[in-house]
Amino acid sequence: MRLAAALVTGLLILALPLMSDQNQKTYPISARARQLHFSSIVVDTHDDTTQRLYWEHFDLETHSDVGQIDIPRMREGGLGAIFFSLWSPGTLTGGAGVQRALDLIDSVREEVARHPNDLMLATTAEDVRKAHAEGKIAVLMGLEGGHMIADDLGVLRTYYALGVRYMTLTHTVNTDWADSSGDKPAHNGLTPFGKQVVLEMNRLGMLVDISHVSDKTFWDALATSKAPIIASHSSCRALCDAPRNMTDEMIRALAAHGGVIEINYHVGFLSQAYRDAAKKIQPEIDAANKKVDEACGEDLQCQVWAEARVSDEFTREGKLPPVNWELIIDHIDHAVKLVGADHVGLGSDMDGSTMPVGMSDVTHLPQVTQALLDRGYSPEDIQKILGLNTLRVLAQAEQVARQMQSAGGR
């Protein structure tokens, strides 16, 4: 696997000039925007940095030259709360999937224990506010893929006890009880057991996350859940026609149920031009990914890092168009115009996707606040989008859990 790791390092070094945004004009941040941003509780509901903690034993205290997230850069970007994603491939099922999830949880908890002056494990909305008041970064966890419960509600309860506060019902393949947006339908949405999973999440106080699910699974989850649900890292299908994104009808229904769409920064979910260009060269992309898979073998770390650089290389060669970070604001704006500022948030997908030009890492977050001010958003609405909406739905999930538990519901 050392050869594969060397391949990853080589690809990463080649990609650094593009990722550094060295050709991107600096987006000026006014004193007003800076004050607003750094006084707000800024929450990101989806970051894949957990894989670095697990695979590389990466120390978050290190200001890294690669990736997008570490403590120094979170401080510089004003990120106050982060949901570390607990991910494993949807094909890693049963006991192996459970063990991977437990290992990832342990990696996050150990990192928090190593840096108590900077990080605080948070399991409630109030914990996040407490961390903010103490000048610490709140660390939360979200399970990315229901396959990791191994069809066992007891495993789900164990994850909750260890601090997991949302679960994405599927990843890119179907589970035994829910259809994914990345797979052929097998269940017509949620099975009866899948609906039990949603209700048990409600009873525990764990947010139901519908990013990655099929449209029918979304509608079933919405009809089943007693608490508001979230899309932890999805954007707007009206602007970029990706199955992972939400239609206007879905966004309206999500909001009517009290939920929040957390906008994803991945270029393939922001830009229709990028998506159209990628379709035209799909055979080349598939061939490049095949070479990565052959070189990496079963080394998942190698695969993730190398495949994330494939699109960078095609962009450098002019085969894929560059995607500007301000499309993030376009997606926020579209959702707000549909349902208001109470139902939109941020779910970047950093350290797990290709970021747009101008948003190469978390240090660029103040640009979001500046851009929203420039588009006429009020400070109050900006604070909701930056994080308060996410804290609201988390608190509402906690309230529903207390009501269900007091009523003896299961």
Side-chain angles (χ1 to χ4, degrees):
M1 293 306 171
R2 290 183 180 178
L3 177 61
L7 170 66
V8 175
T9 301
L11 285 169
L12 192 56
I13 290 171
L14 285 171
L16 280 176
L18 179 66
M19 295 173 64
S20 69
D21 296 337
Q22 61 181 9
N23 297 320
Q24 173 73 11
K25 293 181 180 179
T26 301
Y27 197 82
I29 310 299
S30 67
R32 180 188 180 211
R34 187 167 295 279
Q35 192 281 330
L36 174 61
H37 186 84
F38 285 93
S39 63
S40 301
I41 302 178
V42 182
V43 183
D44 190 334
T45 53
H46 193 92
D47 290 271
D48 281 300
T49 314
T50 325
Q51 278 56 251
R52 297 195 71 190
L53 306 182
Y54 172 63
W55 283 322
E56 303 172 35
H57 303 292
F58 175 63
D59 187 342
L60 278 172
E61 194 173 46
T62 303
H63 193 297
S64 179
D65 292 328
V66 298
Q68 284 109 27
I69 298 287
D70 52 51
I71 290 171
R73 286 186 289 176
M74 285 192 282
R75 293 291 195 187
E76 186 177 346
L79 184 61
I82 180 170
F83 278 83
F84 283 110
S85 170
L86 311 171
W87 169 84
S88 73
T91 52
L92 193 67
T93 57
V98 173
Q99 186 59 57
R100 177 63 60 83
L102 293 174
D103 289 342
L104 291 167
I105 290 169
D106 184 64
S107 295
V108 173
R109 294 179 67 99
E110 283 298 298
E111 197 64 23
V112 173
R114 276 193 290 268
H115 303 297
N117 293 328
D118 288 299
L119 306 176
M120 175 181 150
L121 187 67
T123 59
T124 65
E126 186 56 35
D127 283 348
V128 176
R129 295 181 184 279
K130 183 174 186 291
H132 180 72
E134 295 179 4
K136 297 180 181 181
I137 298 166
V139 170
L140 304 99
M141 291 180 283
L143 193 75
E144 189 174 19
H147 59 283
M148 284 181 278
I149 70 168
D151 302 336
D152 188 333
L153 296 182
V155 173
L156 177 69
R157 290 190 282 270
T158 297
Y159 293 151
Y160 180 83
L162 291 172
V164 175
R165 287 302 178 265
Y166 77 67
M167 183 173 74
T168 318
L169 299 181
T170 69
H171 192 235
T172 57
V173 297
N174 300 335
T175 66
D176 290 337
W177 43 270
D179 286 335
S180 166
S181 63
D183 205 347
K184 293 180 180 179
H187 311 298
N188 190 32
L190 284 178
T191 69
F193 178 74
K195 294 174 183 178
Q196 288 181 43
V197 171
V198 168
L199 290 172
E200 182 64 4
M201 292 173 71
N202 291 163
R203 192 188 71 83
L204 292 170
M206 185 184 292
L207 284 167
V208 175
D209 174 24
I210 53 77
S211 289
H212 283 291
V213 306
S214 71
D215 289 7
K216 182 58 165 61
T217 300
F218 163 79
W219 291 110
D220 286 352
L222 193 70
T224 303
S225 181
K226 297 179 182 295
I229 66 179
I230 64 167
S232 70
H233 56 307
S234 294
S235 297
C236 304
R237 206 178 296 178
L239 301 186
C240 183
D241 188 17
R244 277 274 286 99
N245 285 344
M246 300 185 71
T247 67
D248 287 0
E249 183 183 13
M250 294 164 75
I251 295 169
R252 290 191 184 99
L254 179 83
H257 197 62
V260 177
I261 176 175
E262 315 278 0
I263 299 300
N264 189 320
Y265 304 176
H266 173 52
V267 292
F269 302 146
L270 292 176
S271 168
Q272 188 63 46
Y274 181 95
R275 191 164 185 83
D276 291 343
K279 286 181 181 178
K280 292 180 181 178
I281 62 166
Q282 194 61 52
E284 292 183 65
I285 295 173
D286 291 342
N289 285 335
K290 183 178 179 181
K291 288 181 180 179
V292 165
D293 293 342
E294 290 172 349
C296 293
E298 296 181 0
D299 186 339
L300 282 175
Q301 178 188 16
C302 173
Q303 290 177 14
V304 169
W305 276 113
E307 288 184 4
R309 301 300 171 254
V310 167
S311 61
D312 281 352
E313 288 302 296
F314 282 120
T315 302
R316 287 162 61 88
E317 294 169 4
K319 295 179 179 179
L320 291 173
V323 177
N324 190 277
W325 73 272
E326 289 184 80
L327 285 183
I328 298 167
I329 311 303
D330 290 346
H331 281 260
I332 292 172
D333 210 33
H334 179 83
V336 169
K337 286 175 180 175
L338 282 176
V339 296
D342 290 335
H343 302 285
V344 185
L346 307 176
S348 71
D349 215 354
M350 285 189 178
D351 276 340
S353 292
T354 303
M355 292 293 105
V357 176
M359 190 59 68
S360 59
D361 65 18
V362 70
T363 64
H364 292 269
L365 276 181
Q367 295 172 188
V368 173
T369 298
Q370 182 66 64
L372 292 174
L373 281 173
D374 290 346
R375 294 198 187 192
Y377 280 71
S378 70
E380 294 76 17
D381 283 348
I382 292 171
Q383 287 184 317
K384 290 176 184 178
I385 294 165
L386 291 178
L388 294 185
N389 289 336
T390 301
L391 296 189
R392 171 183 57 78
V393 291
L394 183 57
Q396 286 178 302
E398 295 163 12
Q399 182 180 11
V400 168
R402 288 192 293 269
Q403 292 171 347
M404 291 180 70
Q405 290 169 19
S406 65
R410 289 195 63 83

